[in-house]
Amino acid sequence: MTAPHSTLRQRLEGLNLYLVGMMGSGKSTAGRHLAQQLGYRFLDADSSLEQVAGRPIPEIFASEGEAGFRRLEAAVLNQIASWHSLVVATGGGVVTQPQNWGQLHQGVVIWLDAPEALLLERLRADPTPRPLMEAPDPAARLAELLEQRRPLYAQADLHIQQDGHPPDQVAAQILEALPGLIKRRSAPPEHRLEVVNEAGERGPSIN
């Protein structure tokens, strides 16, 4: 069956789409919709990492610490970058390792930016163990991580602002913004990061 956005897929020429953003920003759910619309394959980087390691992420953190986890994450990302035509939901901290950006920027990097309150609400409702959120005050821990990571997420090619809309609508925002981004890839853009709000309006980032 032909994908709804097969023409856009042709224009992408096999470029991988990497979704970055905080845990709870909807990368996996929106990513699946995006992949389906493009006729791409969807890949969850954390799930791939667990398959490679043969154990869940909390166990990796417990035995090897965050540094060991980040080394494995970088190795998995390096393998993923050798493939093509993928929508990849990355782990929230993949942006913290400078070497990972060389792999990410081989494709198109898309930041899913959700409000802090929405992230906290989703994380509280999600039973998935998250080692970096194991803190007496999860709200304070989330705020700390966001402060560290927002400048890094801002290195993305595309900034998608969302506010709790369904995953298919988030995917639609991305699909609407991609053609203009592809057009500019052949020349240095005036603004590397473009913001797309809920209304579909586009403009340069203030970052």
Side-chain angles (χ1 to χ4, degrees):
M1 187 174 67
T2 303
H5 291 270
S6 56
T7 300
L8 178 55
R9 172 183 173 144
Q10 291 173 0
R11 291 184 62 191
L12 283 166
E13 298 180 328
L15 284 173
N16 289 340
L17 305 181
Y18 295 99
L19 303 183
V20 302
M22 280 297 296
M23 55 189 99
S25 60
K27 300 184 296 288
S28 293
T29 50
R32 288 186 176 90
H33 284 279
L34 183 60
Q36 183 179 32
Q37 291 292 308
L38 286 170
Y40 264 34
R41 191 156 61 97
F42 173 76
L43 197 65
D44 185 292
D46 279 350
S47 295
S48 298
L49 187 152
E50 289 182 329
Q51 290 174 7
V52 169
R55 51 195 169 135
I57 287 173
E59 286 188 17
I60 301 171
F61 266 82
S63 63
E64 301 175 36
E66 184 175 359
F69 171 79
R70 294 299 174 203
R71 284 193 295 271
L72 182 55
E73 182 179 55
V76 170
L77 180 64
N78 187 60
Q79 178 62 52
I80 290 172
S82 70
W83 301 331
H84 65 86
S85 305
L86 297 175
V87 173
V88 182
T90 66
V94 72
V95 296
T96 63
Q97 306 303 303
Q99 70 269 28
N100 290 341
W101 281 99
Q103 313 297 347
L104 294 171
H105 277 315
Q106 290 179 29
V108 177
V109 188
I110 302 160
W111 174 20
L112 297 190
D113 185 14
E116 192 169 332
L118 178 60
L119 291 173
L120 190 61
E121 177 185 335
R122 288 175 173 174
L123 290 171
R124 282 174 170 161
D126 186 354
T128 305
R130 300 182 185 275
L132 289 180
M133 286 298 293
E134 292 178 358
D137 187 346
R141 178 58 175 153
L142 178 62
E144 179 186 6
L145 288 171
L146 279 169
E147 184 178 1
Q148 294 169 0
R149 294 178 180 178
R150 274 189 174 125
L152 302 171
Y153 293 141
Q155 297 178 46
D157 301 296
L158 193 63
H159 180 182
I160 299 295
Q161 293 180 319
Q162 49 170 317
D163 194 11
H165 281 190
D168 59 331
Q169 292 186 26
V170 177
Q173 284 180 260
I174 297 170
L175 289 164
E176 185 178 350
L178 278 173
L181 186 64
I182 296 167
K183 188 176 181 180
R184 293 195 305 275
R185 278 181 73 92
S186 58
E190 182 180 353
H191 298 283
R192 178 166 184 77
L193 184 66
E194 181 180 63
V195 177
V196 182
N197 64 21
E198 293 288 356
E201 298 165 336
R202 296 151 65 162
S205 169
I206 60 172
N207 289 306

